Amino acid sequence: MEKSDRKVITRSPSHGVAAVIAGGILNNYVEAESTLESDFIRRAALMPSHPKVFHQPFRLPISPKGYTPDFLLFFDSSGFKAVVETKMSMRIDAKYTELFDDAACFLRERGYIYFVVTEAELRHHGIHTRAKLLTRYAKQQVATSHADKIISIAASYPHGIPVGSLARKAQVPIHLILALVATGKLTTGPLLQTDASAIVNTLNDSKETADEILVRRWLGATPWDQDY
């Protein structure tokens, strides 16, 4: 694999380029060439284990011109590496299918798991809108005393507690709880529910602990080279 030499910041002005930091959750801005890529970056940033997100990480020598996937997710604690391509479903034709097959095989042999995610995974039931909302809440400063109280109460409910109920018991506004969800102190699960009835858990109570399982559940996708 070669380091990608593609520079999105030099693209034509007719191609919109965004720099996403997801409310400060990410350590650095991550470039996005489309709204679908922006949706993915926010979704990845909100994973409880907060992987590092790299845009166009390398070029794979699997075609005459090479192939540069959209993203690499790297999880420090486990070393798990997921390569992700974002693509509108209507564009995935036979040519792309063959390319993705080759990419999945090439990457798996080198310890990477390859995913292709579309608008079906990134935008179903308005999840991209909730992701954008949560990254805004991530900017909210939560006093340590409030955070400790909220997390302590949530931890006493092993099967979770509705956001609204937790807010009442902790005597805090709901947006403080959502700020803790956004920054990975609590979780409402991969659907990123934000309403008062959403069930919130502490991370210790969450089943989303193994990073490969987390990526599958969080994105609602299976690796490209698996059909289950």
Side-chain angles (χ1 to χ4, degrees), residues 34-83:
S34 67
T35 56
L36 194 67
E37 288 193 1
S38 294
D39 291 339
F40 171 77
I41 294 168
R42 295 188 191 96
R43 187 84 161 271
L46 289 165
M47 290 183 186
S49 48
H50 295 317
K52 292 179 179 177
V53 183
F54 301 94
H55 185 246
Q56 297 181 351
F58 36 61
R59 183 171 56 216
L60 309 183
I62 59 173
S63 68
K65 293 183 178 180
Y67 161 60
T68 302
D70 290 331
F71 297 101
L72 167 67
L73 302 182
F74 179 73
F75 295 79
D76 282 326
S77 59
S78 66
F80 178 67
K81 297 169 290 187
V83 175

Side-chain angles (χ1 to χ4, degrees), residues 6-157:
R6 294 180 66 189
K7 300 294 184 182
V8 299
I9 58 174
T10 63
R11 289 190 180 278
S12 165
S14 64
H15 291 77
V17 176
V20 181
I21 199 168
I25 301 172
L26 298 170
N27 292 329
N28 301 293
Y29 285 99
V30 179
E31 294 163 340
E33 296 180 88
S34 67
T35 56
L36 194 67
E37 288 193 1
S38 294
D39 291 339
F40 171 77
I41 294 168
R42 295 188 191 96
R43 187 84 161 271
L46 289 165
M47 290 183 186
S49 48
H50 295 317
K52 292 179 179 177
V53 183
F54 301 94
H55 185 246
Q56 297 181 351
F58 36 61
R59 183 171 56 216
L60 309 183
I62 59 173
S63 68
K65 293 183 178 180
Y67 161 60
T68 302
D70 290 331
F71 297 101
L72 167 67
L73 302 182
F74 179 73
F75 295 79
D76 282 326
S77 59
S78 66
F80 178 67
K81 297 169 290 187
V83 175
V84 180
E85 177 73 23
T86 60
K87 189 73 66 180
M88 297 298 288
S89 56
M90 65 181 295
R91 296 189 59 197
I92 302 178
D93 55 15
K95 180 180 178 181
Y96 272 122
T97 297
E98 182 178 2
L99 177 67
F100 296 163
D101 286 345
D102 292 343
C105 180
F106 182 91
L107 288 164
R108 186 172 285 276
E109 290 174 351
R110 289 158 179 80
Y112 298 79
I113 306 300
Y114 182 65
F115 293 84
V116 177
V117 294
T118 71
E119 75 282 0
E121 291 81 29
L122 294 175
R123 295 176 176 172
H124 69 288
H125 300 304
I127 192 170
H128 61 302
T129 302
R130 295 193 295 278
K132 195 169 186 177
L133 176 65
L134 282 171
T135 57
R136 291 174 181 167
Y137 281 126
K139 301 175 184 178
Q140 173 72 49
Q141 296 294 319
V142 183
T144 301
S145 58
H146 283 153
D148 289 346
K149 183 177 183 181
I150 293 167
I151 294 171
S152 176
I153 294 172
S156 67
Y157 290 83

